[in-house]
Short mmCIF file of all heavy atoms in Angstrom, two decimals:
data_model
loop_
_atom_site.label_atom_id
_atom_site.label_comp_id
_atom_site.label_asym_id
_atom_site.label_seq_id
_atom_site.Cartn_x
_atom_site.Cartn_y
_atom_site.Cartn_z
N THR A 381 159.71 127.67 54.43
CA THR A 381 161.12 127.42 54.68
C THR A 381 161.30 127.10 56.14
O THR A 381 160.44 127.41 56.98
CB THR A 381 161.98 128.64 54.32
OG1 THR A 381 161.66 129.72 55.20
CG2 THR A 381 161.75 129.06 52.88
N ALA A 382 162.42 126.49 56.48
CA ALA A 382 162.68 126.16 57.88
C ALA A 382 162.67 127.41 58.74
O ALA A 382 162.18 127.40 59.86
CB ALA A 382 164.01 125.43 58.01
N SER A 383 163.24 128.50 58.22
CA SER A 383 163.27 129.73 59.00
C SER A 383 161.88 130.30 59.18
O SER A 383 161.54 130.81 60.25
CB SER A 383 164.19 130.77 58.34
OG SER A 383 163.76 131.04 57.02
N GLN A 384 161.04 130.21 58.13
CA GLN A 384 159.67 130.68 58.26
C GLN A 384 158.89 129.82 59.24
O GLN A 384 158.10 130.32 60.04
CB GLN A 384 158.98 130.66 56.89
CG GLN A 384 159.47 131.75 55.94
CD GLN A 384 158.92 131.57 54.55
OE1 GLN A 384 158.66 130.46 54.10
NE2 GLN A 384 158.75 132.68 53.86
N SER A 385 159.10 128.50 59.18
CA SER A 385 158.43 127.62 60.13
C SER A 385 158.81 127.97 61.55
O SER A 385 157.97 127.98 62.44
CB SER A 385 158.81 126.16 59.83
OG SER A 385 158.37 125.77 58.55
N LEU A 386 160.10 128.25 61.78
CA LEU A 386 160.57 128.60 63.10
C LEU A 386 159.92 129.89 63.57
O LEU A 386 159.51 130.02 64.73
CB LEU A 386 162.08 128.73 63.11
CG LEU A 386 162.74 128.91 64.47
CD1 LEU A 386 162.45 127.70 65.36
CD2 LEU A 386 164.23 129.10 64.32
N ALA A 387 159.78 130.86 62.65
CA ALA A 387 159.14 132.11 63.00
C ALA A 387 157.68 131.87 63.40
O ALA A 387 157.16 132.48 64.33
CB ALA A 387 159.22 133.09 61.84
N VAL A 388 157.01 130.95 62.70
CA VAL A 388 155.63 130.60 63.04
C VAL A 388 155.56 130.01 64.42
O VAL A 388 154.72 130.37 65.25
CB VAL A 388 155.04 129.62 62.01
CG1 VAL A 388 153.71 129.07 62.48
CG2 VAL A 388 154.86 130.32 60.66
N LEU A 389 156.49 129.08 64.71
CA LEU A 389 156.49 128.44 66.02
C LEU A 389 156.73 129.45 67.12
O LEU A 389 156.10 129.41 68.17
CB LEU A 389 157.57 127.35 66.07
CG LEU A 389 157.46 126.23 65.03
CD1 LEU A 389 158.45 125.14 65.35
CD2 LEU A 389 156.07 125.68 64.98
N GLN A 390 157.65 130.38 66.89
CA GLN A 390 157.95 131.40 67.90
C GLN A 390 156.75 132.33 68.09
O GLN A 390 156.48 132.78 69.19
CB GLN A 390 159.19 132.18 67.51
CG GLN A 390 160.45 131.35 67.59
CD GLN A 390 161.66 132.08 67.04
OE1 GLN A 390 161.56 132.85 66.09
NE2 GLN A 390 162.81 131.84 67.62
N GLY A 391 156.03 132.59 67.00
CA GLY A 391 154.85 133.42 67.12
C GLY A 391 153.79 132.77 67.98
O GLY A 391 153.20 133.38 68.86
N PHE A 392 153.55 131.46 67.75
CA PHE A 392 152.59 130.74 68.56
C PHE A 392 153.06 130.60 70.00
O PHE A 392 152.26 130.50 70.92
CB PHE A 392 152.33 129.35 67.97
CG PHE A 392 151.27 129.31 66.92
CD1 PHE A 392 151.59 129.15 65.59
CD2 PHE A 392 149.94 129.48 67.26
CE1 PHE A 392 150.62 129.14 64.61
CE2 PHE A 392 148.95 129.44 66.30
CZ PHE A 392 149.28 129.27 64.97
N ALA A 393 154.39 130.60 70.20
CA ALA A 393 154.92 130.45 71.55
C ALA A 393 154.52 131.63 72.44
O ALA A 393 154.52 131.53 73.65
CB ALA A 393 156.45 130.35 71.51
#
Side-chain angles (χ1 to χ4, degrees):
T381 66
S383 58
Q384 288 172 329
S385 297
L386 188 61
V388 170
L389 302 189
Q390 291 173 326
F392 274 107

